[in-house]
Amino acid sequence: MYTTCMFCTRPLGTNEVVETFPVGRRLAFDAARGRLWVVCARCERWNLTPMEERWEAVEACERIFRDTRVRFSTDNIGLARHPEGLTLVRIGEPLRPEFAAWRYGDQFGRRRRRKMLYGAAGVVLAGGTVVGGLAVGVMGVVLLEAPLHMANMWVNLRTRVKLRPDGGGVIGLRRGDLRDTRIRPADESPGFKVQLRRTSHGVVRKGWYHGEEAHRFAAAIVPGLNAMGGTKAAVLGAAGEIEAAGHAQRFLVDVAGRRGFESDVGEPGCIAKMPRPTRLALEMALHEEQERRALEGELWLLEQAWREAEEIAAISDDLLLPEGTDDFIREHGRARETR
């Protein structure tokens, strides 16, 4: 049973309400299709659960939902809050715009609010710099601007996305690298390919990725390009683009073949140049396509994503410790055992 979000690698939390599935504080389920998601409280992403852990939990969620008094329902979607803190989202047969508003509205809205908050903080800091400059002179301006300058450098230089190619190793992408990601039609079979730009020690390298790697890499990169999130209107517009294409897979092929969206050097298919609703639709379609393939029997893809999330979470935890901590623990552990 997986306990870490496969998107932000944070713990999913626990509940004591669903005995057969004690993971998560917010569960979404579709009893008709036998689907169960754990909604991450941190990033609002929906984590599809493996098949073998799903059926009994879905039945339990349906029973608990019906027995919960505090609930809100439309014809297609219901929301119930259990007294012990578990929130249940019951999926009926919603139209795509309604389902998108429930599924993606929270996460895109949360991103938007967070970015607006960070922007406001930057304005306040910049304003403080001006006031401080008037009060303490040029040296005050320099001292107050330094933290803001350092923060900008950190945002631009830190690795935003880590990708794991099939051949091994790790590809780290920075902010500027993400903005140069391109998507174009696949060379042979229907689908798409993705071009990545990597900057290492001042050297820029570009390469195309196809097939499963293209899907996996795009699904990891596009959320970084949608860091500003979107309004409810933008989410509904994104859902409308997918609906116009017919389904997620057809939308992905369609958007990869569109003309325009040229990069700064005139190359087509630059994802960062797409209108916001189209970028949101791309993220939604990639997510839904990943789930479709898992539900059709390629569950190893889903389990691989979970394992990678658990692995990255462990690496992230280790990064918080000072260098040499492992050696210190081993040395003092041996010393304690010999006492």
Side-chain angles (χ1 to χ4, degrees):
M1 186 175 294
Y2 302 99
T3 61
T4 302
C5 178
M6 61 195 297
F7 302 100
C8 72
T9 72
R10 299 296 181 122
L12 291 169
T14 61
N15 73 80
E16 298 181 356
V17 181
V18 184
E19 295 182 1
T20 57
F21 194 80
V23 179
R25 303 289 292 172
R26 188 176 194 181
L27 302 179
F29 67 98
D30 184 338
R33 295 180 174 84
R35 301 181 186 179
L36 176 68
W37 299 267
V38 184
V39 183
C40 177
R42 174 81 177 187
C43 67
E44 305 285 357
R45 301 293 288 272
W46 290 32
N47 296 262
L48 183 67
T49 62
M51 184 74 72
E52 65 273 11
E53 299 177 358
R54 192 181 303 162
W55 295 103
E56 291 184 10
V58 169
E59 292 178 0
C61 287
E62 178 71 29
R63 184 175 61 255
I64 294 168
F65 181 88
R66 293 181 182 278
D67 292 341
T68 301
R69 294 183 179 181
V70 183
R71 64 175 185 252
F72 166 80
S73 296
T74 67
D75 292 339
N76 302 309
I77 297 179
L79 179 69
R81 292 185 175 88
H82 192 274
E84 295 188 22
L86 176 67
T87 299
L88 293 173
V89 180
R90 183 182 186 276
I91 309 301
E93 301 216 355
L95 299 175
R96 178 176 292 278
E98 183 182 4
F99 185 44
W102 276 79
R103 178 167 184 174
Y104 300 101
D106 284 348
Q107 57 183 276
F108 290 150
R110 186 170 192 165
R111 290 184 203 170
R112 182 171 176 270
R113 290 190 296 272
R114 186 169 60 241
K115 282 295 184 180
M116 290 175 66
L117 180 62
Y118 289 165
V123 170
V124 170
L125 181 57
T129 300
V130 175
V131 174
L134 294 175
V136 299
V138 176
M139 184 58 69
V141 173
V142 173
L143 291 175
L144 289 170
E145 283 184 345
L148 184 59
H149 179 66
M150 292 296 294
N152 287 334
M153 287 185 60
W154 180 78
V155 168
N156 289 325
L157 294 178
R158 77 182 182 96
T159 298
R160 301 293 295 272
V161 174
K162 290 183 179 180
L163 306 173
R164 299 180 180 275
D166 295 338
V170 176
I171 299 175
L173 301 180
R174 298 175 179 175
R175 187 179 187 178
D177 298 329
L178 295 183
R179 295 191 60 81
D180 279 342
T181 303
R182 298 170 57 216
I183 182 171
R184 300 303 295 154
D187 295 332
E188 297 177 1
S189 59
F192 64 89
K193 59 184 179 180
V194 170
Q195 184 186 54
L196 304 185
R197 188 194 83 157
R198 290 176 283 171
T199 305
S200 179
H201 305 292
V203 179
V204 177
R205 297 182 177 87
K206 294 184 179 181
W208 288 100
Y209 294 85
H210 308 260
E212 175 54 33
E213 278 189 319
H215 279 268
R216 224 165 13 98
F217 291 175
I221 290 170
V222 174
L225 296 172
N226 284 333
M228 280 297 295
T231 62
K232 182 178 179 180
V235 173
L236 292 176
E241 289 201 30
I242 298 176
E243 189 173 27
H247 52 73
Q249 185 179 21
R250 187 174 298 166
F251 171 79
L252 292 172
V253 174
D254 173 68
V255 77
R258 293 182 188 178
R259 296 183 178 181
F261 311 138
E262 295 183 349
S263 66
D264 293 337
V265 294
E267 297 173 322
C270 182
I271 298 175
K273 299 296 184 179
M274 296 178 181
R276 182 172 299 178
T278 303
R279 288 202 313 272
L280 296 178
L282 183 57
E283 180 175 346
M284 292 159 57
L286 286 164
H287 193 177
E288 293 180 17
E289 178 64 8
Q290 183 182 41
E291 285 192 355
R292 182 192 67 81
R293 298 170 74 186
L295 289 166
E296 289 184 354
E298 300 179 38
L299 285 176
W300 66 272
L301 294 174
L302 181 62
E303 296 195 1
Q304 180 184 22
W306 279 94
R307 283 196 297 271
E308 289 180 353
E310 295 277 5
E311 179 183 350
I312 293 170
I315 293 172
S316 299
D317 290 341
D318 289 342
L319 289 176
L320 297 175
L321 300 176
E323 186 176 357
T325 299
D326 290 339
D327 295 336
F328 178 85
I329 293 173
R330 281 194 295 270
E331 181 67 28
H332 285 265
R334 284 195 296 268
R336 179 172 296 180
E337 291 173 358
T338 58
R339 289 179 183 174

